[in-house]
Each structure stands twice: as structure tokens, then as C-alpha cells.
Amino acid sequence: MAGTSSRKSGSAGTPRPSSAETDLVKEAEATRASSGYHLIGKRTPLIDAALKVTGRAEYTDDIKRPGMLVGRLLKSVHPHARIRSIDVEEARRLPGVAAVLTGDRYPTPFGVLPMTHDETALAVGRVRFLGEHVAAVAAVDEETCERAFELIRVEYEPLPVYDDPKVSREPVPVKIHDRALRDTNLQKEVFQHFGDVPKALEGASQKVKLSGKYLGVTHGFTEPHCTIAEHTPDGRLTVWSATQVPHYLHRSLSEVLGMPMHRIRVVKPEVGGGFGGKSDPFPHEIACAALAIETGRPVKVLFDREDVFYLNHGRHPTQNDVTVGVDGDGKFLAMDIDALLDGGAWSSFGVVTTYYNGVLAMGPYRFDNFRYHGARAYTNHPPSGAMRAHGGTNMRYTVESVVDEIAARMGFDPIELRLQNFLPPNFKTINEFRITSNSVRQCILAARDRSGWEEKFRKLPYGRGIGVACGFYISGSNSPIHFTPVFPQCTVHLKADMDAGVTIHCGAADIGQGSKTVLAQVVAEVLGIRMDRCRVAPVDSDTAPVDLGSYSSRVTFMMGNAAKAAAENLKVPLLQAASELLEVPPDRLEASEERIHVKGRPSQGVPFHEALHKAMETKGALVASGAYSTKPLGGTFKGAKAGTAPAYSFSAYVAQVDVDLETGFVHVENVWAAFDCGRPLNPLAVEGQIEGSIHMGLGQLLSEGLSYRGARLMNPSLLDYKILTPMQMPKVECLLVGEDDPEGPFGAKEAGEGPLVAALPAVGNAIYDAIGVRLMDLPITPDKVLRALEEQRKKGGAVRPPAPTRPSERTPTHGGR
Amino acid sequence: MPKKVPVRLRVNGEEHELHLPPQRILLDVLREELNLTGTKRGCDLGTCGCCTVLVDGEPRLSCLMLAKLAEGHQLTTVEGISPAGALHPVQRAFIDLGATQCGFCTPGFIVTAVAFLRDHPGATRDEISRALSGNLCRCTGYVKILDAVEAAARTLAPAQER
Ligand code: FES
Ligand code: FES
């Protein structure tokens, strides 16, 4: 099955391309195949899969250290309160208890963004959400920790509880954090205006405004948070943790514990999923280290599932209003956005989230006028943070619904309307994003052709429908979170030794997405060797060069480029050595088929290991390094760097649904997911990202949501927080139609987060096609569907939306740009 | 401290004589006493399927079972699904078809699928999907998991019919 990247799941038939026209997917595959890579672009099983299917892969909780204690954290029972006193003396005296710590021991504030440090390892003087940790206990076992908790006396003085960002936005009697803006509980506000939005809207012949309401959702990774720390007599601290960003944890440990970074070692074992939920440095990681220092013994802190829900850091509960004005021909003139985000108790990535909810809204469309007002409020909910397609999901649903609504009101086919308004490749947007490769046209045409759009749109029986939506996402944030000292975004070290294996060291965190496999693919491709010669060393800060982490969809792009550079550097002495053996100048040699040989003639050469051994005669093991740094991008206005990226992914999804008119249950039947990740380095893994993203997106759309009564989370369990089961998954067909990106490694771009954003609105728009109601309050649970149908009936009965009236020119598959 | 009781477990064909407080949960005993860490803890509440093991060949959630009550039964964990050095066709298909990403859910899926295919060789995709609906995966969207179990069903079916 190698070599095909259009795969359908499930056994039911899928419509064939609608006519004899060119199949864009096949065409893209043929172009890629012509470059002749031996590993890049091949469907490659993950290099750690055999360990995972046999239960041998080691996650943090699988690690045992001699004499290890159990660490547990006492949770606050108030959502907002002053801590008058904490008495831990009795707990300390309980046999079996090795240490009890409270917030005053390590009060230094920290946080993922250097400008918004507002978290502490344990609560200091105040709790700000139910479940915030007020004390840490290390004891011989869990039961002893629990009994110690009963002996800890915390005296709270309750404070006013803020559970509504609308209230937090106004002047408040008590600020949740001193750093909140003015006399409000706002954490961050963003104003941006390009062109002249009021004027453009005034001149528009059609204006559509929709408001979206989104419950918070959480990552739902299967592995609960877990950290082990050990402080050894040589004065060194080792921390194993389920983290996406070992480097941020490293920095925060050093800052809060007051220990120089070089004495701290951070190790990332296998991580059981992250999706953004393991990208902050967390208080429990620091508290665990503090307990290890205090006791001199290894300590493990493992969360239970309820703790995971309370720590949250998931997608922000959001309200947004999006207005788009168009001229009489359907050209987009202006976009106006207002968004209010519930940030919960801490800042986390909130500054970034607040920007992203605006700055990523225009792409993949061209606008010359854009205005955004975004605000993020502190409340006493568990903190919101970064979650897959961070800042790009809720806003995308509203934007794509607005576009669909414009098409319906003006009589356009929504695909034709989008085709008229796409950004071209190699273009600078009004907010100064540099767009390079962009295959969004190919995406929407491929999704149209594969889905049988023309036979279905507005033509299926009432209750069944088809919808389309597009997506746009950064392929790695151009500006790192930490500016000092200046260092590359990613560095890769290689060592080739006597055993003719290549060891790859890199700080990038594989959290299941398959980055270790990409590393091995890239290095082996460049060196012309089999992949099993490459060994990816575990992420360990003592040996792995710094990488800025697995977030913002940056790993394939940045790590891939660094790995490629490192392998090219390692190849230099190999070619030199082979040149001496063959008496042929190095520039006439190449590496392939496990040999260094005369270009195009594998028989005239030497095996890889012979060249390597020759090169080692004087130098010993060969080592090489490669790094990737982003170039400066973006404008000079305030916030101009937010959303800048060295490349962007694009997508167009078509979804087909069947709405049960009796029960209100939305059954998603098919998703045709056309995605532009440039050249997919490992199509098997890219498809996995797309399918997983669709699962996560449809969960948020149809059933997931953190529901609160006041500040109390009502569904902190996987029973009440409903993640889709296999039976609710649609058939998914992945259509990989991207062209090579000029700066991505081998032409690749991201595929980790972008694949999520179009899934929700494609289904939302399909529901509109099916039953003629636009549902803007997520999740779209059956009761909401039934209520909407009921209202529709009151207003005069079931109405399908009108069919397009504009003569559609039926953009040909090769529609020029 | 509740007093300890003798607990005799037969796991992956091996006998273990243990002394445990009677309330110890099977999942904890497998992971902590027997170092069989392939069985994962995702929730401790019977809601994720990560802790699935086979009890007399039937999938059971080990986080909901007292170790003492597993006495006298044959227990199989992911470590015992295939003989050393070999892979069960379900494991092979999971690797080749990309059915594992982070891998944390994978042991639970593997043991559930192995037991299901044993009793339902040649099962259809819909039947497989129903059989696996007690296991949660957040990474794959289940698509490739179903692909893999379907493919394994095809490899197993002819062999078992013969
Ligand atoms: S750990 Fe047993 S079902 Fe989740
Ligand atoms: S592979 Fe990560 S939860 Fe299934």
C-alpha cells in the first residue's frame, strides 16, 4: 500500500471523482514520487510502535526508583479565598510522612510566558480555583498521604467568586490577580485595525454577523499527568515528567527552586498524549521536585483523572462575534471580530490565545480591511490554556459559518464563493503574514470532486446534508517564547560510531505524533542509509540539545530542518573519506543505497560503514550538529509577531451528515479531508493526525464541554465528559494535495493542529444544509437540535436552505490562480 | 493498617504468591507488585479501557477488580499476548497500519481485540467498532485501529476456519 496517500476508511463506497477531470490527489502523488527519495514520503510505521503494542514502552508512571515516596497534593475546596493559615504540624508528625510543604517554601511566581508569571508551585496566601494545590505531602504510600491531608488545617476566608468573563471585564471589587488590567479582572486585551473596517462595511452590499458560544473543552489525553523527581547527594536534581516541553520545565524548575539549570536534568519518557495539555510547566512538577529536595528521596506525583480535569489548561470557553461584509460580486471586503475568552485562574498561554483568536481568522481568505478586539478575562474557573489548534478553532467555526451564510443569502455555491476569495500563494496579508506555499485551491477542489458535492449540495433529502469549510494554521510560531539568550529554535546532534549506527540527539518531544520517526527518516534519507541504523536517543537535557518543544505545530518544520542540516554536515567527512578510498573528488560522490558512490553509479563506491571507518581513523566517532533558526518575519505594529510563521498549512473539508429528526442526534457519515501540509514526510502519520483531529474536533462540536455550576466543574470524569467512541466516528478520506513548501524540510509543513480547524464548521455547515438551521452554541447536543427544529416548525415548518441561484461557472479543477 | 492476606495469582502462565491488604486492586498489583507496567492506568474508574486485561480470556477492567477476586482465574496482560520474540497478528497490524500513536491506550485495545477476534474471526468493521467501544483513544480517531483489527481479522479468519 506504499505510495498512496488518498485512503478511505470503512467499507462503504465513496463517490468517484465527478468527471474525467484530473485527479488532484494522484497528480500531487506523482509529482512527489518523481523526486526519488528512498524514505521521505513513504508510509512509515512509527519506530517505537513495536514497544507500544507489547506494553514495553516506558511512560513516567512505569518508572520506579529505589526508595521512592508517593507525593500527593491537597486541593483547595474554595474557588476563591484568602488562606488565613495552614497548620501542617500534625500531618508532619504522622508516621510514614516524610515531608509536608506549603506555598511559602517556594513562593517565586512562574508561568509559561515570561511576561505573565502568575502561578506558584503551591498556593501562596490565596486560592483562585477549586482544585488549586495548597499543600504537598510525601509519604510511604497513598493511604498515608490521604490521612495526612485529613490532619492539615487550612483556614480560608472566602472571596467573591467570578465565574463569568462578562463580569470580569467590568470594574470588580476584588481583583483575582494584581496584574489584571485597570480595575477589572481582564488579563489581556488586544486591539488591531487594518484598513478601514467601518467604511468598508458601510459600502458592502451584504453584511453577515454571527455570534458563536463555545464551552471550554479539555485535551482528554489518556495518560494522566505524572512526575518523578530525585535529588542526589552530588547536588543534582533529576526530573522525569510527562511533558511536551522539557525545556520550559527545565527553566521553571531553576527559577522557582533557585537552582542553576546545569544542576537540573529533565528527562521526558514516553508521553501518553498532550494536545497542548502538557506544554505549560506545571506547579505539580515543581512541587514534586521540592518534595524530593526536602526528603532526599525519589518522589512520584501521579494525578488521578479528576485532578487532570481540574488542572485543565484546555480550550477557552469563548464568545465571539464575527461580521463580514462583501460586495455584490461576493468579494470579501472587511472582517470585524470581537472575542471574549474565559481564561480561568491563571495566564498560561493566554496572551497568545488572545492574539490568535483574531490574527489567524482571515486566512485562508484575502481581506483588505480587518478589525479585532479580543479580551481574556481571569475567572475562578480552572485555568484555560493551549489546546490543539490553539486559538484557531472557535473563531474558525464562527468565520466559516459566516462565509456559509453569505453564500446562502447571496445565492452562491459556498465552494465557488470561497474560490473567489482565497489568498494566493506568495502574498503578504494585510496583517503582514508572509504566505509562501498555499494549496488551498487544490484542497477545496479535491474535496469537492471526491465528495460528489455537486450531486449532493442542497439536493439530499431533508435531514441529510453536506457542508464545506476551510482551515489555516501556523507551521511553527516564528517567535520563540523566550528571547534570551538567543539560540536556534531547534538543534540536532548526530554521532556515527564504529557500530555503523547513527545516534540522534534532539530535545524535541515525541508525544505520540511520531517525531522520532521523522528524525530517523530525515537523517537516513540524507545519509542514504537504512532507517534502522538511526537510533533516536531519549530526550534528556543532559545530552539532548535544546528544542523549544512540541507545540505550535513546529516540530516537523523546525526539527526536520535542523536534522537535515545535521545530516548534511555528517555527510561531509563521509564523502571526504570515500573520496580518498575511491580517488574521486567528493563533489562527484553521493550517498544512497547504504553506499557512498559516484553520482548515479552505486556500483562505483564503498559501503557506508567502510567510508565511516575510514573517516574515523584520525577523528574517532563522527559528530555533527545542525540547527534551525527562524528568520525575522512580521510587521512592526504592536502584536505584529503573533501568528507569524515560516509557513502555513491550509485545508478544505467536506462533511456529510444525517440528522435524526426524532432524537436530534447528529450522525456524521463522511469527512473528505483535503489538507496541504506541503510534502507529507510520513503519510501514515499525517493521516493519523488528520483522523485524530477530526475525532477531537467532532467531540467538541457534538458532545464535549466542561460544564460549570458557578465555579464548580460538574463533569470532571470521562463518564460525564463525553469523548466520541469508535461507533460515532465518520468515514474519513484524507486527501493530501499540497505542493512542496520552499522552506520546509523536503517541502513539508505542519500537520499536527491545522487538521482540526475545518472539521467543526464543515459539519456545522452540513447540519445547515440538512435542516436549515444554523447552530452556533457548542456543543451541538441533541436537545439543542430538537429545540431548533421546534422553533423552525413554529415559524412555518421545515425549510431547507435555498439552492444557489448564481450561475456557477463550475471552476475547473485546473482553475488557474 | 489492615492486615495482609495471601493472594495467589496466575498471570501470563506464571504463578505468583503475594501477601497483600485485601482491598488491593488488580491494576495496582499488576503494575506495582509484578512490574507488569504494560497495563495502563488512565482513569482508575472504569471509564477509559486502558487497564483492560483478560480474565479467563475475557476482557476486564483491572482497575475495577480486587486482586483477591482474581484468584483461581487465568490472567493475561499485554505482556502475555504473544510469546517472547513474536507478535500476535493484531500487534503486527497495529504497527504496520499506524494504529498506535502515543501508545497509552494501545495495550487495552490489543487485549480487547485479541479476545474479540478469537471468538469472532472474520468480524466486520461495524462489529469490531462495537467491540472496541469501551476503549478510549484520543490520538487516532480509531480509524487506523479499526483498519488494523480488520486486517488482523482477515489474517486470522482463514487460519481458524481450517
Ligand atoms: S484505568 Fe481502568 S478503565 Fe480507566
Ligand atoms: S494512541 Fe494515544 S490514546 Fe490511543
Side-chain angles (χ1 to χ4, degrees):
Chain A
M1 71 187 47
T4 124
S5 58
S6 152
R7 310 243 312 137
K8 61 169 187 271
S9 61
S11 38
T14 304
R16 312 182 61 77
S18 51
S19 63
E21 64 206 298
T22 328
D23 185 319
L24 287 162
V25 177
K26 295 226 173 75
E27 197 176 278
E29 282 167 6
T31 314
R32 286 180 213 132
S34 67
S35 45
Y37 296 125
H38 78 292
L39 293 168
I40 293 299
K42 298 275 149 53
R43 303 175 68 78
T44 309
L46 300 188
I47 58 175
D48 50 13
L51 297 180
K52 287 172 175 170
V53 301
T54 51
R56 302 288 278 275
E58 191 173 67
Y59 301 79
T60 306
D61 187 32
D62 301 337
I63 297 171
K64 263 190 190 166
R65 301 294 304 162
M68 188 161 73
L69 297 167
V70 172
R72 283 288 181 275
L73 305 165
L74 177 65
K75 287 187 283 197
S76 145
V77 293
H78 285 277
H80 197 193
R82 227 164 247 128
I83 300 176
R84 280 231 192 84
S85 64
I86 308 188
D87 180 357
V88 298
E89 283 320 309
E90 219 181 319
R92 278 200 177 121
R93 285 196 300 268
L94 184 72
V97 168
V100 183
L101 290 179
T102 54
D104 50 0
R105 186 77 176 77
Y106 292 104
T108 308
F110 71 97
V112 64
L113 303 184
M115 59 277 207
T116 55
H117 283 187
D118 58 11
E119 303 172 35
T120 46
L122 295 165
V124 179
R126 172 108 78 110
V127 290
R128 295 176 171 88
F129 64 102
L130 265 173
E132 183 167 358
H133 301 135
V134 295
V137 174
V140 288
D141 57 22
E142 203 177 332
E143 291 75 29
T144 311
C145 290
E146 295 294 336
R147 265 181 294 130
F149 285 169
E150 284 162 24
L151 300 176
I152 296 176
R153 312 253 172 268
V154 189
E155 214 189 317
Y156 292 104
E157 175 192 328
L159 292 168
V161 173
Y162 300 95
D163 62 358
D164 181 351
K166 285 204 218 78
V167 174
S168 287
R169 178 160 71 178
E170 305 299 328
V172 290
V174 180
K175 290 172 72 161
I176 295 175
H177 290 279
D178 292 341
R179 62 171 308 284
L181 303 175
R182 305 179 293 274
D183 53 353
T184 71
N185 268 326
L186 284 179
Q187 184 239 327
K188 175 71 186 169
E189 250 185 326
V190 173
F191 295 95
Q192 286 194 341
H193 193 177
F194 303 92
D196 188 339
V197 168
K199 186 156 153 246
L201 287 177
E202 211 174 296
S205 74
Q206 181 74 245
K207 264 187 297 192
V208 171
K209 175 178 177 181
L210 289 176
S211 303
K213 244 176 90 184
Y214 304 85
L215 282 191
V217 288
T218 200
H219 317 86
F221 38 73
T222 45
E223 178 206 27
H225 297 283
C226 186
T227 303
I228 298 174
E230 182 169 358
H231 191 228
T232 38
D234 57 1
R236 297 208 73 204
L237 173 72
T238 301
V239 176
W240 295 261
S241 198
T243 175
Q244 294 177 236
V245 195
H247 182 63
Y248 294 167
L249 175 58
H250 200 177
R251 282 184 183 241
S252 300
L253 286 165
S254 167
E255 278 166 28
V256 179
L257 300 172
M259 187 183 274
M261 276 179 84
H262 70 269
R263 275 175 43 209
I264 303 172
R265 170 179 171 231
V266 176
V267 184
K268 180 213 72 86
E270 293 302 337
V271 173
F275 315 111
K278 293 172 181 167
S279 53
D280 291 66
F282 286 114
H284 69 267
E285 293 172 301
I286 298 170
C288 180
L291 287 172
I293 294 170
E294 199 74 8
T295 59
R297 287 172 66 178
V299 177
K300 179 191 281 182
V301 169
L302 169 67
F303 272 31
D304 65 25
R305 188 47 65 175
E306 192 178 286
D307 296 336
V308 176
F309 273 95
Y310 279 110
L311 186 63
N312 187 28
H313 287 68
R315 201 181 307 299
H316 290 60
T318 305
Q319 301 190 38
N320 57 27
D321 303 318
V322 176
T323 309
V324 171
V326 295
D327 72 10
D329 299 326
K331 180 175 185 284
F332 295 169
L333 299 175
M335 180 186 265
D336 200 0
I337 301 188
D338 199 282
L340 178 61
L341 316 176
D342 178 350
W346 291 330
S347 289
S348 180
F349 280 92
V351 171
V352 180
T353 324
T354 315
Y355 274 111
Y356 279 9
N357 268 273
V359 302
L360 298 178
M362 282 183 284
Y365 309 110
R366 177 177 174 169
F367 282 88
D368 294 335
N369 300 282
F370 174 71
R371 187 167 63 180
Y372 173 54
H373 173 214
R376 182 184 189 267
Y378 287 122
T379 63
N380 297 115
H381 287 153
S384 304
M387 179 166 159
R388 194 180 213 168
H390 178 202
T393 304
N394 296 346
M395 157 279 289
R396 178 62 41 201
Y397 185 83
T398 310
V399 167
E400 295 295 319
S401 302
V402 167
V403 172
D404 203 60
E405 187 66 29
I406 292 170
R409 288 196 201 166
M410 295 182 78
F412 281 105
D413 177 305
I415 291 184
E416 292 296 321
L417 179 69
R418 284 177 169 83
L419 279 162
Q420 280 188 46
N421 285 287
F422 282 143
L423 289 168
N426 304 313
F427 185 76
K428 196 194 250 182
T429 65
I430 182 119
N431 57 344
E432 298 192 46
F433 289 178
R434 184 197 65 157
I435 306 296
T436 51
S437 67
N438 170 2
S439 302
V440 71
R441 293 182 69 85
Q442 288 92 316
C443 287
I444 205 165
L445 293 174
R448 179 192 70 183
D449 293 351
R450 287 294 179 106
S451 62
W453 176 263
E454 313 227 319
E455 293 82 60
K456 294 175 179 169
F457 182 64
R458 300 290 192 256
K459 291 179 186 148
L460 295 170
Y462 184 79
R464 295 187 68 208
I466 192 164
V468 66
C470 289
F472 168 80
Y473 207 71
I474 54 169
S475 185
S477 169
N478 204 67
S479 14
I481 286 173
H482 293 282
F483 301 97
T484 51
V486 174
F487 59 92
Q489 287 259 19
C490 182
T491 305
V492 170
H493 289 172
L494 303 177
K495 184 199 78 156
D497 214 331
M498 288 303 294
D499 58 5
V502 180
T503 307
I504 307 175
H505 292 282
C506 178
D510 196 326
I511 53 173
Q513 82 280 41
S515 69
K516 279 188 283 194
T517 307
V518 166
L519 266 177
Q521 275 181 288
V522 167
V523 170
E525 179 71 49
V526 173
L527 296 177
I529 55 177
R530 288 200 315 261
M531 241 172 80
D532 66 355
R533 287 197 189 278
C534 295
R535 307 163 290 223
V536 181
V539 175
D540 176 334
S541 63
D542 275 5
T543 51
V546 170
D547 170 83
L548 289 176
S550 293
Y551 65 96
S552 92
S553 286
R554 54 180 293 288
V555 175
T556 292
F557 199 98
M558 300 186 181
M559 175 202 78
N561 272 321
K564 191 158 175 270
E568 299 286 359
N569 290 339
L570 192 78
K571 197 158 86 173
V572 173
L574 290 170
L575 294 186
Q576 185 57 46
S579 152
E580 285 167 34
L581 292 169
L582 296 164
E583 299 182 348
V584 174
D587 59 355
R588 288 189 47 215
L589 298 176
E590 67 178 349
S592 83
E593 298 180 32
E594 295 257 305
R595 292 170 72 77
I596 312 284
H597 57 79
V598 175
K599 279 183 185 158
R601 300 208 195 116
S603 61
Q604 292 179 32
V606 291
F608 170 77
H609 71 270
E610 279 179 27
L612 173 61
H613 290 164
K614 173 75 185 161
M616 289 177 61
E617 278 175 8
T618 51
K619 298 190 189 73
L622 298 188
V623 290
S625 171
Y628 174 81
S629 299
T630 46
K631 327 181 172 159
L633 287 175
T636 48
F637 54 91
K638 186 167 173 14
K641 304 296 171 211
T644 58
Y648 296 88
S649 70
F650 294 86
S651 58
Y653 286 15
V654 169
Q656 188 172 321
V657 301
D658 185 352
V659 180
D660 187 323
L661 303 172
E662 300 289 311
T663 62
F665 190 82
V666 176
H667 175 55
V668 185
E669 299 177 306
N670 298 80
V671 177
W672 292 271
F675 195 75
D676 166 19
C677 60
R679 177 188 294 260
L681 300 185
N682 182 0
L684 189 68
V686 170
E687 288 166 15
Q689 290 299 308
I690 294 175
E691 292 153 358
S693 290
I694 289 171
H695 171 258
M696 192 173 275
L698 298 190
Q700 177 178 1
L701 185 77
L702 300 174
S703 62
E704 293 179 34
L706 295 172
S707 81
Y708 292 97
R709 185 170 298 161
R712 180 173 290 278
L713 183 55
M714 299 308 287
N715 55 346
S717 82
L718 294 172
L719 199 61
D720 299 314
Y721 180 89
K722 297 238 176 278
I723 290 176
L724 302 188
T725 72
M727 294 169 70
Q728 291 158 287
M729 268 300 279
K731 295 181 188 76
V732 176
E733 192 175 353
C734 301
L735 310 168
L736 305 179
V737 292
E739 291 171 358
D740 280 7
D741 181 81
E743 294 175 19
F746 301 97
K749 300 190 282 190
E750 75 95 15
E753 301 184 77
L756 189 143
V757 296
L760 297 80
V763 173
N765 292 341
I767 296 174
Y768 178 72
D769 184 49
I771 56 173
V773 291
R774 203 166 281 293
L775 296 163
M776 297 301 297
D777 181 0
L778 266 53
I780 302 173
T781 42
D783 54 309
K784 291 181 190 164
V785 175
L786 287 181
R787 220 175 302 136
L789 286 170
E790 181 60 35
E791 268 164 41
Q792 194 190 42
R793 238 167 263 139
K794 277 191 215 142
K795 282 193 205 140
V799 271
R800 302 218 56 190
T805 51
R806 300 255 176 168
S808 148
E809 281 157 35
R810 174 85 176 91
T811 304
T813 301
H814 282 279
R817 313 222 176 104
Chain B
M1 270 278 160
K3 86 175 200 315
K4 293 186 176 177
V5 296
V7 178
R8 186 186 263 262
L9 293 179
R10 191 170 171 80
V11 188
N12 301 331
E14 252 179 70
E15 288 287 346
H16 299 272
E17 305 246 4
L18 303 159
H19 266 78
L20 302 169
Q23 79 276 20
R24 284 304 292 278
I25 296 292
L26 180 59
L27 174 62
D28 297 345
V29 174
L30 292 172
R31 290 182 53 82
E32 283 151 35
E33 310 295 329
L34 305 182
N35 276 324
L36 292 167
T37 53
T39 305
K40 299 300 180 207
R41 183 195 310 274
C43 70
D44 258 337
L45 286 170
T47 57
C48 73
C50 292
C51 65
T52 311
V53 298
L54 302 183
V55 179
D56 296 331
E58 293 306 315
R60 291 285 176 267
L61 300 175
S62 64
C63 72
L64 296 185
M65 190 171 196
L66 291 174
K68 183 74 186 159
L69 296 184
E71 274 191 327
H73 298 281
Q74 305 279 347
L75 304 178
T76 312
T77 67
V78 68
E79 289 91 343
I81 284 296
S82 50
L87 290 171
H88 188 280
V90 169
Q91 290 171 315
R92 186 74 257 164
F94 263 62
I95 299 173
D96 293 343
L97 300 182
T100 177
Q101 289 187 25
C102 81
F104 202 78
C105 70
T106 306
F109 273 99
I110 299 267
V111 300
T112 309
V114 165
F116 179 70
L117 292 186
R118 181 199 59 217
D119 296 342
H120 306 85
T124 66
R125 196 172 177 98
D126 278 353
E127 289 162 352
I128 294 168
S129 151
R130 200 164 313 129
L132 297 180
S133 61
N135 290 72
L136 187 79
C137 174
R138 191 54 156 176
C139 297
T140 63
Y142 310 105
V143 175
K144 297 208 180 315
I145 293 179
L146 297 179
D147 288 349
V149 180
E150 229 185 345
R154 282 195 298 271
T155 5
L156 287 166
Q160 301 211 351
E161 274 160 24
R162 251 173 253 146

